[in-house]
Amino acid sequence: MHLGKTLSFSDKNYNVTVYLDQQNKRVRVEDYLGSLPHVLDHAEKLVESEKADKLIIKGRKEHFTQLLERGFSFEAGIDGFFLGNDCVFFSKFYSDERRTSPHWVQEDGIIKSVYHLAEPAQNITPPNDYILKKMDETDAQGLSVLYSKVFQIYPTPLNDPEYIVKTMKEGSIYFGFVHDGQIVSAASADVNSFYKNAEMTDCATLKEHRKHGLMKVLLARLEDELIENGIYCAYSIARALSFGMNAALYQLGYAYRGRLVNNVYIYDKIENMNVWVKDLAKTPNFGQ
């Protein structure tokens, strides 16, 4: 797998940070200041030089209309992403194939079904032989084995223990369940300490261990850790075709905020991804 590159550019009109993602054939504007037209001009030149077919902007809410005027399409939002201010995901496509989404109606049906689910039982208690553990660098090998088994393709190289160690050093928090000495379920929080938000990500459970509600327990434990560290904006980007993952997020109190079209190669093909958001300051046990 290829690692993407994060680069920063600036001149008298603007500053911009972009992520060049060769594996997923896209360019993503992560952050910007100054003249939005200059930022977009620069980003579109990068799309051309990188031969990408999707450009994503993590925009400010106040730039909503300007982004529409420049031919971008609104895809999703994250409440409170920028130190309490909302983020809007806008995209532009450079091929009809990348823009076309054959599973859209099916994915709409999944969201509809998820919102009809009953309220979950508040306390999930996995069997005693499942041990909850905060993962550290010594667990990187076991985590990479888990991710290799669950995902044929993944947007980041989680099959590489060195990459997992790198993310831990950069502030990502991992929790997992160990069963008979093997990591059978794991999830992480990718923390942005500057803007005080965290992406709940890298969720994986081996098929034979999926009946115990392990992922809900892991995500709830990660939320506790984030609150302790003053992070209140939590979000997750789930495969739009995965009923189970979308249902778990809904039942944990996350709200659906849109769908990113043909966003990443994951599992076995390029897929749409649903954005879910939660304000951790509104959780029932907050401050206790």
Side-chain angles (χ1 to χ4, degrees), residues 14-150:
Y14 68 94
N15 293 302
V16 63
T17 301
V18 294
Y19 180 66
L20 306 179
D21 186 350
Q22 288 184 323
Q23 179 176 314
N24 295 296
K25 295 173 71 178
R26 61 184 185 163
V27 171
R28 189 172 67 227
V29 174
E30 297 284 5
D31 203 0
Y32 61 89
L33 284 170
S35 165
L36 182 61
H38 282 88
V39 167
L40 298 180
D41 287 343
H42 190 103
E44 296 214 55
K45 285 175 187 168
L46 287 171
V47 168
E48 199 174 323
S49 64
E50 291 291 309
K51 297 182 171 57
D53 49 24
K54 183 174 185 181
L55 171 58
I56 303 162
I57 311 286
K58 288 183 177 175
R60 299 320 203 262
K61 196 175 182 180
E62 59 267 28
H63 293 149
F64 197 102
T65 306
Q66 279 181 263
L67 287 160
L68 288 176
E69 288 172 349
R70 285 291 296 250
F72 285 80
S73 300
F74 173 71
E75 292 197 310
I78 298 177
D79 313 26
F81 182 90
F82 294 114
L83 281 173
N85 293 319
D86 296 351
C87 168
V88 286
F89 280 88
F90 272 81
S91 293
K92 187 181 277 192
F93 298 87
Y94 297 83
S95 74
D96 287 333
E97 185 183 11
R98 185 75 181 239
R99 183 70 183 88
T100 305
S101 181
H103 303 290
W104 194 266
V105 174
Q106 181 186 352
E107 291 163 356
D108 277 348
I110 288 172
I111 292 297
K112 186 177 179 181
S113 300
V114 161
Y115 268 88
H116 280 96
L117 290 172
E119 288 294 312
Q122 287 306 306
N123 294 314
I124 299 169
T125 307
N128 290 335
D129 51 351
Y130 287 86
I131 298 157
L132 177 64
K133 180 180 186 292
K134 185 176 182 179
M135 300 284 149
D136 57 34
E137 293 179 20
T138 63
D139 298 300
Q141 180 64 42
L143 286 166
S144 70
V145 170
L146 168 68
Y147 290 123
S148 299
K149 286 180 179 176
V150 173

